[in-house]
Amino acid sequence: FEGPATPDLYAALTGFVLRQACADRRWWLRQVGRTLPVGVNLGAGELRDPALLDRVLQVLADTDLAPAYLELEVPESVLARPDSPEAQALERAYRVGLGIAIGGFVAADAPLRAITQVPVAKLKVHRSLVAELPHDSHARAVVDAILAVGRTLGVAVCAEGVETKEQAQYLEQRHCPLAQGWHYGRPMDAERFLELLKGSGVDTVSLPLMDAEELE
């Protein structure tokens, strides 16, 4: 796109991504009958739009997809003020059955008590922390703390940006329940992902590290 990004442009892009993600998820569901959710990233500014939830629900209705299959991933900054419009928007989303994930979590931009006040189902550990595993003691301590918080509060934890076998092994040893990154698979289109779902036989798809040439 040329020119400055405007709120209308952001809304249009979010709407397109949301509709495509939900349509793909419904397609996968019909093909393999799995309960794998799909996540869509939202910015804090989009959460301040009073019409956002109505648009999300309309997309779900149009694609014949239940709210439980959609997860909204939002930045950690929305936890800074549990009484903010953004947090209130998440509360409304939770009430209709949508999943809420906090992306890029480092336990720095928000007080931990906010997690008990905002309906969070998943914390996604920031890739900058994962990148330092398993050798950096500070990263290990913070990741372990986030895992402990997740276990205590019953919130799932997902490590972002897992790129090496060593990182994956450390997270497995620390009983991190979820992980994502290039160690498991590179970005791919919906058709290729469907083929992987068909061949995996499980809800969680684990892929070997692939070279960029394989994606061309």
Side-chain angles (χ1 to χ4, degrees), residues 18-74:
L18 179 65
R19 186 169 294 276
Q20 189 63 52
C22 290
D24 287 343
R25 180 62 193 90
R26 183 59 184 171
W27 178 45
W28 298 331
L29 181 64
R30 287 172 174 165
Q31 293 292 319
V32 298
R34 302 280 175 76
T35 57
L36 192 71
V38 64
V40 174
N41 292 74
L42 295 178
E46 292 168 297
L47 291 174
R48 290 191 289 269
D49 181 353
L52 173 66
L53 183 57
D54 288 339
R55 289 203 299 271
V56 171
L57 293 177
Q58 185 60 59
V59 169
L60 290 171
D62 291 345
T63 55
D64 191 25
L65 192 68
Y69 291 127
L70 178 62
E71 181 178 87
L72 303 181
E73 182 174 333
V74 299

